[in-house]
Amino acid sequence: MSRTPFIAGNWKMHLDRAGIATFCEALAAPDYGAEGVRVGVFPPFVYLAQVVEALAGTGIVVGAQNCHPADEGAFTGEVAARMVADVGASHVIVGHSERRHVFGETDADVKARLDAALARGLDVILCVGETIHERQAGRTEEVVFRQLDAGLAGLDGETVATRVTVAYEPVWAIGTGLTATPAQAQDVHAAVRARVAGTCGDDVAARLIIQYGGSVKPDNVSELIGQADVDGALVGGASLQPTSFQALARLGTGVNA
Ligand code: PGA
C-alpha cells in the first residue's frame, strides 16, 4: 500500500492580499515540478476565496485553518464549515495546537468541527500532539491517543482512510525551531497507525496519511519523510515564502510503501 505524501502550508495569521497573489502565481506556474506529492495551502479565512480562484485547475488543495460546527447562527466572528465549502475550499484543519491551547478548544469542540466539516463535504487534517510537560511525564501516547480517538470516534473506516489526514505536531516543536528527531516522530507515527489499525482495521491504517508538523524546513523534511510512517508535513513558518514552500513540496516526493 503506497501513500502519496501530503505537504500542507498552514499560513496561520500571516501574509496579505498582495503577497498571497504573488505566492499563488508562483505556485500555479507550470514548471512547479512537484509530482508524486500532494500540496495544499491553508490561508486565513478572508483570503480563502482569492486563493481558491487563483489556484483553480492546479490540483493544489486549498483549505481553512478552522471552522465553526454550526451552519449559521449568532456566533460573531466565527466561520461555518458550510461557508468554507461554499467558497470552494476542499479541506479544513481541526484541532491545531494553537486552537487547543491558545483558544481553549476541547476534544469535544474539535470533534464537533471535524464532523461538521465532513458533513459539508470538506476533508480534514486532524492535529494531535503533546506538550513538553506531557512528553517529560511519559504521557505522549496517552494524550495523542485521547485526541485521536475523540476525533475519529464514530467515523467509518473508508472515511478515515480517504478523507482524514492526521497531523502529529508535538506542541514543543511548533514555531520553536525544535524539531522532533526523525526517530521521535517515527515512534509516535507508528503508534498512531497501530492505534488506528486497532479501531478501524489494518487496511484503513495502511492507507491513512499521517503528517508530521513542528519546525519542518527544507533542510530537515527529507529525513522526516524518509521515516516509514511519516507521510508528509504540516508546515507553518517555512510555508510562508514560495521558494521555501516549493522546495518542501519538491523534497516531499518520497512515496512511503
Ligand atoms: P511551524 O508550525 O512549522 O512554524 O513550527 C507548524 C504548525 O503549527 O502547523
Side-chain angles (χ1 to χ4, degrees), residues 26-216:
L27 280 187
D31 63 349
Y32 170 39
E35 287 180 9
V37 62
R38 187 170 207 210
V39 176
V41 290
F42 292 75
F45 284 127
V46 291
Y47 303 119
L48 260 182
Q50 177 191 351
V51 176
V52 165
E53 196 175 319
L55 297 181
T58 62
I60 297 171
V61 163
V62 182
Q65 299 169 14
N66 190 24
C67 63
H68 191 277
D71 272 351
E72 62 181 350
F75 300 109
T76 301
E78 292 293 303
V79 176
R82 177 183 66 82
M83 297 166 176
V84 173
D86 188 39
V87 297
S90 61
H91 283 61
V92 64
I93 297 170
V94 295
H96 189 276
S97 74
E98 285 145 24
R99 298 305 315 173
R100 294 179 189 269
H101 297 292
V102 182
F103 298 101
E105 287 183 14
T106 63
D107 286 337
D109 292 329
V110 174
K111 176 60 171 165
R113 285 156 167 70
L114 184 151
D115 284 347
L118 291 175
R120 285 296 169 185
L122 298 164
D123 292 351
V124 297
I125 296 178
L126 168 64
C127 300
V128 298
E130 81 288 1
T131 64
I132 190 65
H133 300 297
E134 290 163 342
R135 173 164 283 262
Q136 284 167 347
R139 296 181 51 220
T140 297
E141 283 194 5
E142 171 203 325
V143 171
V144 167
F145 288 174
R146 191 199 75 226
Q147 295 171 341
L148 184 71
D149 292 351
L152 301 185
L155 301 184
D156 67 273
E158 202 52 30
T159 298
V160 173
T162 59
R163 299 189 54 204
V164 177
T165 296
V166 173
Y168 168 57
E169 299 203 304
V171 179
W172 48 272
I174 295 179
T176 58
L178 292 174
T179 317
T181 64
Q184 282 174 323
Q186 169 59 24
D187 280 353
V188 180
H189 281 235
V192 165
R193 200 176 303 285
R195 184 76 171 183
V196 172
T199 49
C200 299
D202 289 343
D203 171 66
V204 169
R207 291 153 69 202
L208 179 71
I209 300 296
I210 310 175
Q211 296 172 319
Y212 171 78
S215 299
V216 175

